[in-house]
Every structure is written in C-alpha cells, then in structure tokens.
Amino acid sequence: MSENPFAILTREPVPDSCLDVEAVIAGGRARVRRRRGASVVAAAVAVALVVGAVAVAQQRPGPRPDPVGPAPSPSQSPSSRCAPAPLTQLGPSVYVTVDASGRYIVGIPDTADGTVILYGPGGTQTLTTVPRLLPDSVNGSGTIIGNVANDVDADGYVVDGDTTTALGKPPGALNVRANGINDAGDIVGDARMPGGKFRAVVWRHGKWNQPQLLSTPTGGQAGGQSAAHGISTDGRIVGSVGNGAQPYLWQADGTGQALPTPQGKPGGLAARVVGDWADGPVDYLAGTTVRPSGRRVATAPLSWARWNLRTGEVREVQTGPQSAGASGLLPDGTVVLNVTDGTTLWTETGTTKLPVPAGYDRTMVTGAGSNGLLVGTALQRNGKSAPFRWACHQAR
C-alpha cells in the first residue's frame, strides 16, 4: 500500500475550479493529483465556459441493476448504517470513487502505468488505459472518465470497457479536461483556449470527438469564460462562469442562469448535481490563485454551499475547518465533507461523524452513491492506508 496516499493524491480544483483538494471536488466532482515518479492530473473541478447551445440529452438504456451493495434499511442505527468494510476487491488502491447509483467502484493502485480497477455487477476487472490516467468519475454503466497531466494542464479521456478514447477538442482549444459523467453517458468538462481562457464543454454519449460548447455570458464577471463540473441524469449541468466568479446552472435545453452565493461569500462554482441539489465551494476568489495555464485553484480551505435547484435557495455548509472540502452529495441533500477531525455528513438539522475503521486514525471519503454507499481511504499515522466503503443511510 502507499506510504502516504494523500502525498500522492491531492484533490485540486480546476479553472473556475474547485479546490485544491478539488475542493475537492469540488466536487467533489472532485478533481486529485498523483505524485510519485510521474506527476498525474489533478482530479478536481475545472471551471470554464463555452458558447453554443446544449441539446437535450437523448434517452438511452439505463444502467444495469445489481448495485455493488444494497442500501441499508432506514431502521438501522447510525453506527450500523455507516459501518466500514475494507474494499479488498480493489487491492491496495490509493484512490477510489463510486458512481452516483452505487453500482460501480473504481480504484487505482500506486502506479502510473494506467491500471484501473473496476468493481461492480460483473465482478472485478483490471483495465489497462493510458499511462498516468487519474480517474475522475464513473457512471452506472461502468464508463469511466479521467485525465492525464501534460506539461501545462491535463488531457481528458473516456474509458469504456477495453477502449480508451481521447475527448475531442473544440476548434482552437489547446486541451480539454473531463469533469463529470451521467448515467446517459454524457460527459462535461472544459476546454483551455489561447490566452488562459476556458469554456464549458459537453460530449454526448458515444460522440467523443464532437464537443459542444455551452452558452456562456460575455458581459459582467463572466467575461465569456465558463467551466462545467457536473451533469445530472436529466441533463442539467452545473459549473461556473468568469473563472470562478459565479456558480452557474445550465438547464437541459441549454439555457443558463447564475446561482446565488451566501451573504458575504462571493464567487464560487457548483461542483456536483444530484436530483434537485448541487454543492460546491463559495467565497472562492478569496482563497484561490490563477496558475500560468489560466486555471484557478485553491490555496486555502474554502467555504462550502449547497443549492436547492428547485427553489433557488442556497445554504452555507458549516462543519468546522475543512481539510479537503466536500466529496459527496446524496439525493436528499446530505453533503459529505472531509474536515480536519474526520469525515462528516451534513444536513440542515445537524452533522454526523463517519466511523473510523479499527486500527486506523482518520478517513478521507472520495465518492458517494445515491444508495448511501460512501467510498474512500482509511489512514494510519504512519502513512499506511487501505480503501474502505461505508454503507450509510440517507439523512432524513
């Protein structure tokens, strides 16, 4: 196992991005960077926008049944609902994530050779992708998106079974980055354009070489820049405009609107969307910096917020100092955050600490499924780590 998985994997946001810990995500969404011999792409949220209309996602066969683990009964006690269990199926993976439905879990070992472990209804598969690929997300059909670090930024890929395909670039783009995928197989991300500008992009299922730019406001703080970080099952897309100046929502028909931020917390991005909920970092410009590539990344722990997309309400998520931002969002609006004293489940009525596996000192959750399945890594003070899962209830 890795001696220190978080020295190897650090979540970092991307343009208009999220946080360094990908804000995680941010969120997430997130965004993580591997360091050991070979430097790998940050799996975090990027924020850049693109001009063009977004077509409504076509209906496609849904994901296969048979989730990785059954959803726990609401009658169970909190401790039994969130009981940790080792993910031995993934071996000594140093980073893991799960699809929104909880059917598939993805892990990567402490190597840079492109090996990806996919665990789901079909058992455990070892996939060989491109070297230094860092998976970002997986959907309910087992399709994986990820990024590979280049000299300046990152290049996005989609992994579908034994086939790994580079995502196509819009005209004039220097590179593209993949940030989110839904169960229909539609992918969102951003394109880095000349001059350190970014535009939000969507790739429709199977049309990986046909990027579509998302409509982006040109006036005000937006300035023609945008980035997309998450896409829901119904085709709504969340991200930001103005390189993190304003969280943003695109409806399935391509129309867009700014999302509010809490009082005194300007700037931010929406990193994830699940049903009518979205979450992401706010007060963003105060805790971030712009890299030479033009990407904005976090330099300090960020404030977090959750949006109700149906009512337009925004709430600040308050759980204490955050070490890595949020890493999951459940259908009932529960936000999963990694904070300095452990992983926390936040709701409007209170917070719950995630149990730490016996023999370990802390946890870092990096993915959440709609059935309450959380995945991540447990760490010892000596740096030893192992991948774990927690079967948690959805907060009520």
Side-chain angles (χ1 to χ4, degrees):
M1 295 181 188
S2 165
E3 295 179 355
N4 187 345
F6 297 112
I8 299 169
L9 307 173
T10 63
R11 276 194 92 87
E12 147 195 331
V14 286
D16 257 28
S17 333
C18 262
L19 351 14
D20 233 331
V21 267
E22 185 199 36
V24 208
I25 224 186
R29 171 176 129 12
R31 348 215 350 60
V32 175
R33 183 184 285 176
R34 287 184 67 139
R35 297 188 184 98
R36 177 169 284 190
S39 148
V40 172
V41 172
V45 241
V47 180
L49 295 177
V50 203
V51 173
V54 182
V56 179
Q58 300 176 351
Q59 293 294 324
R60 303 184 186 87
R64 286 170 280 180
D66 304 321
V68 170
S73 167
S75 63
Q76 294 174 294
S77 67
S79 59
S80 64
R81 283 190 296 248
C82 285
L87 280 167
T88 56
Q89 303 90 337
L90 299 182
S93 293
V94 295
Y95 173 75
V96 295
T97 191
V98 63
D99 82 278
S101 69
R103 291 178 175 86
Y104 285 93
I105 300 176
V106 170
I108 54 173
D110 184 14
T111 66
D113 62 1
T115 297
V116 174
I117 310 299
L118 178 65
Y119 169 56
T124 302
Q125 305 174 56
T126 300
L127 307 178
T128 301
T129 65
V130 293
R132 299 183 297 116
L133 180 79
L134 179 62
D136 181 276
S137 304
V138 59
N139 73 359
S141 295
T143 301
I144 301 165
I145 61 168
N147 297 282
V148 173
N150 56 38
D151 291 339
V152 178
D153 195 47
D155 299 305
Y157 290 83
V158 56
V159 181
D160 195 358
D162 294 327
T163 302
T164 301
T165 306
L167 293 171
K169 296 182 290 186
L174 303 177
N175 64 277
V176 294
R177 186 166 186 163
N179 293 325
I181 183 172
N182 65 5
D183 280 341
D186 296 328
I187 297 170
V188 295
D190 61 73
R192 183 170 66 96
M193 311 301 288
K197 305 296 184 181
F198 292 86
R199 297 289 301 284
V201 185
V202 61
W203 295 265
R204 297 302 177 188
H205 177 259
K207 299 179 180 179
W208 313 131
N209 64 341
Q210 299 178 36
Q212 300 176 24
L213 297 180
L214 297 176
S215 60
T216 300
T218 57
Q221 293 179 305
Q225 287 205 75
S226 61
H229 293 288
I231 179 169
S232 68
T233 55
D234 62 8
R236 286 178 291 180
I237 297 170
V238 297
S240 72
V241 297
N243 201 15
Q246 181 72 54
Y248 207 75
L249 165 69
W250 289 268
Q251 300 292 344
D253 63 2
T255 58
Q257 65 189 78
L259 294 173
T261 58
Q263 184 74 26
K265 303 285 186 180
L269 67 90
R272 275 179 298 267
V273 55
V274 178
D276 285 329
W277 303 102
D279 74 318
V282 292
D283 200 18
Y284 192 60
L285 302 183
T288 58
T289 187
V290 177
R291 289 183 171 177
S293 66
R295 287 198 180 275
R296 179 175 291 280
V297 299
T299 55
L302 300 178
S303 298
W304 211 261
R306 186 201 64 184
W307 291 271
N308 184 319
L309 301 182
R310 180 175 52 81
T311 66
E313 179 190 32
V314 60
R315 279 183 177 267
E316 185 175 357
V317 176
Q318 296 179 325
T319 60
Q322 298 176 15
S323 60
S327 59
L329 179 63
L330 300 182
D332 61 0
T334 299
V335 181
V336 184
L337 302 102
N338 294 305
V339 298
T340 52
D341 60 347
T343 303
T344 298
L345 279 66
W346 175 92
T347 69
E348 296 177 11
T349 58
T351 60
T352 301
K353 290 295 182 183
L354 196 68
V356 177
Y360 291 87
D361 301 297
R362 62 168 298 195
T363 59
M364 178 69 76
V365 169
T366 46
S370 61
N371 59 354
L373 178 67
L374 309 182
V375 300
T377 306
L379 295 138
Q380 298 174 348
R381 288 191 178 86
N382 62 9
K384 298 294 184 180
S385 68
F388 273 80
R389 54 180 284 179
W390 291 261
C392 289
H393 70 297
Q394 292 181 24
R396 299 296 175 185

